[in-house]
Amino acid sequence: MTDNQKLKRIIARFNLDTPAGEIRPLGEGLINDTYFVEPGYVLQRINHQVFRDVENLQRNIELVTAHIRQKLTEAGAEDIDRRVLRFRTADNGKTFIEEDGCYWRVSDFISQSETRSEVTPESARHAGEAFGNFQAMLTDLPETLAETIPDFHNMELRLRQLRDAVKADAAGRLTEVSGLVAEIEKLADEMCLAERLHREGKLPKRVCHCDTKVSNMLFDPSGEPLCVIDLDTVMPSFVFSDFGDFMRTAANTAPEDEPDLDKIGFDMEIFKAFAQGYISATRNFLTPVECDHLPYAVTLFPYMQAVRFLTDYLNGDTYYKTAYPEHNLVRARAQWRYFELTREALPAMRRFITSLCSGRDSDFGQAKI
Ligand code: GN1
Ligand code: MG
């Protein structure tokens, strides 16, 4: 059976309104395999090496999409089917099936939508509002979500994983990267601030998207953000996840795997625009500690991503899809360069966030921790 016949057999198990037609690869995700199915569905193979608890993964996604749909309906939003994902039920009554040891799901393709790899200040402002609203709509989700990858954005864990990889040196690549490892180690304590604040009871976990890169948002052809996609990592985390990870790709003037480090820059205008949109949507629940540390979040995510890419490089590329042998190292170096630039921008970012937050509502800061 060809791959295509297999995909056809899989999609046939889902309840669709219109029969499935041609199937072709879609997107550039580093984890799952995604296909577009004519006339308008998205078929995805869930990487269950990464997401080990598919049952709870889909439960999270069903709860979150239902809650957002309800909120949008209550708010009288237009075009709701283009603003939140809809997953299809299969012949087993669930939103996923297992076939030959792999897990699959189907959602509706959002009509007249496109992904972008770049934003303008205007679309960054809208994206800030969209991700801010995403968090805001989920602040009163009654159910507790599972951590689909436990401690996903825990910097202490990511550093432990790097240290394990250094110790094992499974792919024999340590010598070549020991300089970068030393640079990372110098800042390790400083970058684990969020975990410390959490232990001290000063920083809450909230429902976050946890993978807010630009390419995980759908835009209308006019450039207006429509819908947040790739919901696998929606789980309790610090708000820093969504703010910092978006800036990791959006305010970077180059792709996350840019080999030419001179092309990498930090775009302060994108930062400002996104921050304005984000804070306008979240000011009623953000605490002062969360707000004050948003600039730190912008540095945290390239730092964390450098650590994660480097760890995978040392482990012999077992986690991320790679296009060539040095790919994870190129990614790690690019993230490190970008991290350095975000650190240089810290004073300017702090000034801007302070000016935004000082114009806050009188009840700002009353949120519970
Ligand atoms: C992965 O799913 P995808 O490709 O958008 C990764 C993110 C990283 C990102 C780097 C589950 O995201 O955490 O930030 O690659 N997702 C997982 O591009 O590890
Ligand atoms: Mg993802």
Side-chain angles (χ1 to χ4, degrees):
M1 189 182 290
T2 65
D3 281 357
N4 212 267
Q5 281 171 321
K6 189 178 158 194
L7 294 174
K8 289 223 151 114
R9 198 183 67 200
I10 288 162
I11 189 98
R13 291 189 52 191
F14 286 84
N15 302 319
L16 309 180
D17 299 335
T18 347
E22 206 187 303
I23 304 179
R24 57 176 180 271
L26 178 72
E28 292 171 356
L30 304 189
I31 305 290
N32 297 320
D33 295 330
T34 310
Y35 304 88
F36 175 78
V37 182
E38 293 282 2
Y41 300 101
V42 176
L43 170 67
Q44 232 178 5
R45 188 178 70 84
I46 304 167
N47 182 334
H48 72 282
Q49 307 293 89
V50 170
F51 298 104
R52 297 188 166 266
D53 184 355
V54 178
E55 191 90 41
N56 264 317
L57 169 82
Q58 284 301 110
R59 175 182 173 270
N60 279 4
I61 292 180
E62 286 167 29
L63 290 172
V64 162
T65 50
H67 193 77
I68 291 181
R69 191 169 281 274
Q70 189 193 334
K71 289 269 157 141
L72 291 171
T73 309
E74 283 165 10
E78 285 173 9
D79 228 6
I80 292 180
D81 280 330
R82 293 174 75 218
R83 300 194 179 270
V84 59
L85 293 177
R86 180 194 291 278
F87 287 83
R88 293 283 165 167
T89 313
D91 55 9
N92 58 2
K94 299 182 178 193
T95 57
F96 67 94
I97 58 164
E98 196 217 312
E99 182 110 14
D100 303 333
C102 295
Y103 294 85
W104 301 83
R105 66 178 166 216
V106 174
S107 58
D108 289 8
F109 182 82
I110 296 198
S111 63
Q112 288 184 293
S113 69
E114 51 193 52
T115 48
R116 306 209 156 174
S117 54
E118 283 171 38
V119 290
T120 59
E122 203 199 346
S123 61
R125 181 172 297 106
H126 290 145
E129 274 165 27
F131 280 122
N133 278 330
F134 183 85
Q135 288 182 341
M137 285 190 282
L138 294 169
T139 48
D140 63 348
L141 183 76
E143 297 85 0
T144 305
L145 297 187
E147 288 202 16
T148 49
I149 301 179
D151 286 322
F152 185 50
H153 279 168
N154 182 325
M155 196 59 244
E156 291 172 348
L157 171 83
R158 296 303 179 184
L159 283 162
R160 277 200 297 280
Q161 290 174 331
L162 174 64
R163 288 167 192 150
D164 289 346
V166 165
K167 225 177 270 160
D169 192 17
R173 291 168 160 176
L174 180 60
T175 326
E176 146 193 38
V177 301
S178 53
L180 183 52
V181 173
E183 293 284 301
I184 287 171
E185 284 294 354
K186 264 192 244 161
L187 294 169
D189 280 350
E190 193 179 318
M191 296 312 293
C192 292
L193 176 64
E195 283 71 36
R196 283 199 297 280
L197 289 171
H198 184 62
R199 273 196 294 274
E200 290 164 10
K202 295 177 185 155
L203 181 65
K205 283 198 178 183
R206 306 180 185 278
V207 177
C208 295
H209 180 278
C210 292
D211 192 10
T212 53
K213 56 186 185 187
V214 180
S215 53
N216 280 338
M217 169 165 274
L218 295 179
F219 293 84
D220 185 81
S222 70
E224 190 209 339
L226 283 172
C227 176
V228 172
I229 58 169
D230 196 1
L231 303 177
D232 296 327
T233 50
V234 175
M235 63 176 117
S237 190
F238 309 131
V239 290
F240 303 159
S241 292
D242 293 357
F243 191 84
D245 215 15
F246 188 82
M247 293 299 183
R248 185 178 70 77
T249 49
N252 187 344
T253 55
E256 70 174 4
D257 59 351
E258 175 60 57
D260 181 352
L261 299 186
D262 292 338
K263 290 196 178 141
I264 297 172
F266 176 69
D267 187 332
M268 197 65 193
E269 292 314 303
I270 298 289
F271 165 82
K272 287 182 175 173
F274 184 79
Q276 275 169 340
Y278 177 80
I279 289 176
S280 75
T282 55
R283 58 192 316 128
N284 287 334
F285 71 84
L286 278 194
T287 67
V289 169
E290 288 173 314
C291 206
D292 290 348
H293 291 88
L294 293 175
Y296 151 76
V298 179
T299 65
L300 175 61
F301 280 83
Y303 180 84
M304 189 185 301
Q305 200 59 60
V307 169
R308 293 178 64 194
F309 284 142
L310 187 61
T311 303
D312 199 34
Y313 185 67
L314 285 166
N315 287 339
D317 311 320
T318 59
Y319 188 87
Y320 294 108
K321 292 181 194 171
T322 51
Y324 53 93
E326 304 282 294
H327 203 165
N328 272 320
L329 178 58
V330 167
R331 287 170 174 152
R333 291 202 193 286
Q335 291 299 296
W336 186 257
R337 175 70 193 131
Y338 184 61
F339 164 68
E340 291 176 326
L341 295 170
T342 59
R343 264 174 85 77
E344 284 167 23
L346 264 176
M349 286 197 276
R350 287 194 181 120
R351 277 196 301 278
F352 189 73
I353 293 290
T354 306
S355 73
L356 275 187
C357 291
S358 58
R360 62 204 187 196
D361 298 346
S362 53
D363 65 346
F364 183 87
Q366 300 299 306
K368 59 184 181 300
I369 290 190

